Amino acid sequence: MAEEYQEHSLSGRVFQKIREDILSGKYKENQELRENTIGKKLGVSRTPVREALRQLELEGLVTIIPNKGAYVTGFSDKDIQDIYMICMLLEGLCARWATEHITQQQLDELDGVIILSEFYMKKDSNIKDQMISLDSRFHEILYEASESRFLSKLLNDFNNYVKSINGSMLVSSDRMRKSIREHKQILRAIRDGDADMAEQLANEHVMHMLQNFKRKGITDK
């Protein structure tokens, strides 16, 4: 029983590592995932790697072709559309629940993120990495404020999908400025205790990101 639990726990850690590498873009679309290579890299046998790849296939991140191997699965246009639509609904719910449960400390943290975002926008140097980090932090604070670990887990997963679709959600200075403005509007609604408005603004925020991708021809054929 102990050995079985240890093996299951090991495959879970391997699963999380491979999943993280796929979503971060370390493994590219259609790239073969070789059990031996991954096993040696992670210092494990092929068994937990094989089990992890099966789990990743169930999640849709890997395709296993019998007698050939396992390959990274890309995102279709419909996948991208679905991911954003689900994110939209979840982010709206998160903003609603955050309005009901947010603390003063979390409100101050959100203020701080916006102030830093505006500061970096005034700089001439490459600010993309800082802006992506601040954008993520803004949403993470809202996830924490929702006081739902299940919702937080779902949102973190789906935002990892978003990041893997395109390394930058905020791909232009114009989009960065608009995102800051949208964050300020969401925060204002939460401060006012207006859960309906906070939910609506959070939904629109995600839809604007999807529209930004569409304008760049990422989801449109």
Side-chain angles (χ1 to χ4, degrees), residues 53-82:
L53 292 175
R54 290 197 190 102
Q55 288 180 270
L56 288 163
E57 184 179 38
L58 292 174
E59 193 165 330
L61 293 176
V62 167
T63 298
I64 298 176
I65 302 175
N67 302 318
K68 286 195 66 177
Y71 300 84
V72 177
T73 304
F75 292 104
S76 69
D77 288 351
K78 185 178 185 304
D79 291 334
I80 295 172
Q81 182 85 18
D82 290 349

Side-chain angles (χ1 to χ4, degrees), residues 2 14-15 20-21 39 54 63 65 76-77 79 88 114 117-118 130 133 140 143-145 155 180 196 206:
V14 173
F15 164 81
E20 177 184 318
D21 288 344
R54 290 197 190 102
T63 298
I65 302 175
S76 69
D77 288 351
D79 291 334
M88 180 190 75
I114 290 173
S117 299
E118 292 177 324
Q130 292 96 328
S133 177
E140 286 167 1
Y143 302 165
E144 294 163 7
L155 278 164
I180 295 172
D196 290 339
V206 178

